[in-house]
Amino acid sequence: MSGIRTFTIIKPDAFEASYTGPIIEKIEEAGFKILNMRLERLDQNRAGKFYEVHNDKPFFERLCNYMCSGPIVVMELEKSNAVEDFRKLIGATNPENAEEGTIRKLYATSIEANAIHGSDSDENALKEINFFFT
Ligand code: IDP
Ligand code: MG
């Protein structure tokens, strides 16, 4: 059975462009309840820990720099089938491949500055919620 919790980050590019409001509106319209939400700023150490699974990728260092480049908004969300439905709502990692109407299609500028994070499994959703909210 699929879980009812997922985790998201409005990334620095979207926050800087004042897309926080419209993105939250899309999330709520799609039926997600916000259980927890906070504005914060990551440092290199925490960004590196959050994206640990990518530490062998060529884009890792740039990704960490980008995630530390400005404020972010972190949220714990609730809905049935949360992880899968949220990934559908945000669209493909590369906004060029994202479907019309998805958050990344609407608000992302590149494969790196792609506006929003969404957990990729129930297990990672719980890990990420605990990383930010305990
Ligand atoms: P996801 O966010 O759609 O789950 P992941 O593959 O988990 O995508 O990558 C994590 C984040 O790393 C992406 O959201 C994006 O910001 C960045 N990223 C992924 N692939 C690339 C790339 O090829 N070049 C630059 N940045 C990338
Ligand atoms: Mg991912």
Side-chain angles (χ1 to χ4, degrees):
M1 204 184 80
S2 58
I4 59 167
R5 301 283 166 85
T6 193
F7 171 80
T8 187
I9 301 176
I10 298 177
K11 295 184 178 182
D13 59 303
F15 182 86
E16 173 61 23
S18 299
Y19 292 145
T20 299
I23 289 173
I24 291 175
E25 198 171 318
K26 295 230 36 130
I27 291 170
E28 290 190 321
E29 273 172 2
F32 291 88
K33 291 282 170 218
I34 299 169
L35 299 184
N36 253 313
M37 175 161 68
R38 187 171 70 244
L39 180 71
E40 74 169 67
R41 196 153 175 169
L42 292 177
D43 60 22
Q44 288 287 343
N45 182 39
R46 266 176 77 71
K49 275 195 189 126
F50 183 75
Y51 278 120
E52 207 158 29
V53 294
H54 294 306
N55 68 11
D56 57 344
K57 307 274 167 59
F59 58 81
F60 178 71
E61 198 181 330
R62 274 190 57 133
L63 174 60
C64 291
N65 289 339
Y66 154 63
M67 288 302 291
C68 296
S69 66
I72 59 172
V73 177
V74 296
M75 281 180 259
E76 178 184 0
L77 300 172
E78 184 179 86
K79 185 187 175 299
S80 61
N81 203 35
V83 166
E84 193 186 345
D85 287 2
F86 196 76
R87 294 289 303 201
K88 264 188 210 139
L89 178 68
I90 70 178
T93 307
N94 185 344
E96 284 179 20
N97 303 329
E99 277 186 46
E100 290 301 326
T102 60
I103 290 173
R104 282 170 167 166
K105 185 71 176 187
L106 288 165
Y107 301 116
T109 50
S110 71
I111 189 168
E112 177 182 74
N114 61 1
I116 192 160
H117 167 82
S119 308
D120 63 5
S121 67
D122 290 342
E123 189 190 345
N124 284 335
L126 291 182
K127 269 193 207 157
E128 292 170 1
I129 288 163
N130 286 330
F131 186 87
F132 282 98
F133 293 114
T134 47

